[in-house]
Amino acid sequence: MTLPRGLTRRDFFMKLGILFNGIAASILAVPIVRYLLSPVTRERKAGYDSWIPLGNLEQFPSGETRLATYRNPVVNTWDGDTADIACWVRNVDGQTFQVFAINCAHLGCPVRWFPQSGLFMCPCHGGAYYQDGSRASGPPERGLFEYTYRIDGGKLLIKAGEMPTPGQASNIVREIRPCV
């Protein structure tokens, strides 16, 4: 059987199959192309690069480590209380601060500060950190994540939009020596 203009039945179904395969490939390509172009087209939320106040300098006495909380600047309306994030603030000498994420560098468990021993301790896997955030013992291979901070008008501010990551080389363990 031959269709008009010299198109055979086999050629017709071949072209129809190519058309449907092209449509299916186009539909499947949309999310892939969108994923590949997302770094170019993605807009950062307004709070991503903002400085968040933790409180007045008087709230953090010299030589002490205190728990502070801030509201996540990259928040959705349905986040509720989960958008309140805790961090540890260490006032080293009255002018120098260290602000640590509360999460252990091993699996993200919340660490606690023990002033008696001068250590941050992870309750889940036995990770321990010195008061300067560097690794003391346990499974974590690096120190605590540290926020960038600045002092402005008697207030301590941190750059909290982006999650702190291993940027400080002083917190990374260079070598792990076996106990003898």
Side-chain angles (χ1 to χ4, degrees), residues 1 7 9 27 52 54 56 58 65 76 87 92 107 124 136-137 148-149 151 157 161 166:
M1 172 166 191
L7 186 66
R9 185 174 179 185
I27 290 171
I52 308 297
L54 287 180
N56 294 325
E58 296 85 37
T65 301
N76 295 311
C87 61
V92 179
L107 293 177
C124 301
S137 69
T148 304
Y149 79 93
I151 299 171
L157 300 116

Side-chain angles (χ1 to χ4, degrees), residues 3-83:
L3 294 174
R5 292 178 281 144
L7 186 66
T8 65
R9 185 174 179 185
R10 177 174 284 170
D11 291 340
F12 173 74
F13 282 117
M14 180 66 107
K15 290 184 181 191
L16 189 63
I18 290 172
L19 174 70
F20 285 139
N21 283 328
I23 291 171
S26 298
I27 290 171
L28 292 174
V30 168
I32 294 169
V33 170
R34 187 169 179 212
Y35 171 76
L36 293 173
L37 295 178
S38 67
V40 176
T41 60
R42 177 181 42 207
E43 292 182 29
R44 289 189 175 179
K45 294 187 178 181
Y48 188 77
D49 289 329
S50 62
W51 289 88
I52 308 297
L54 287 180
N56 294 325
L57 296 179
E58 296 85 37
Q59 292 177 291
F60 310 107
S62 181
E64 290 189 24
T65 301
R66 296 260 173 107
L67 185 66
T69 58
Y70 65 91
R71 186 84 174 160
N72 188 351
V74 186
V75 66
N76 295 311
T77 54
W78 55 82
D79 286 342
D81 288 340
T82 61

Side-chain angles (χ1 to χ4, degrees), residues 104-107 127-129 133-145 166 168-176:
C104 176
H106 179 230
L107 293 177
Y129 305 92
S134 61
R135 177 187 179 269
S137 69
E141 294 186 5
R142 64 170 314 279
L144 291 172
F145 296 111
Q168 303 265 335
S170 63
N171 285 346
I172 299 173
V173 173
R174 301 271 186 248
E175 62 182 79
I176 298 176

Side-chain angles (χ1 to χ4, degrees), residues 102 104 109-112 114 120-127:
I102 198 167
C104 176
C109 308
V111 297
R112 290 187 52 204
F114 290 91
F120 292 100
M121 309 251 333
C122 176
C124 301
H125 303 104

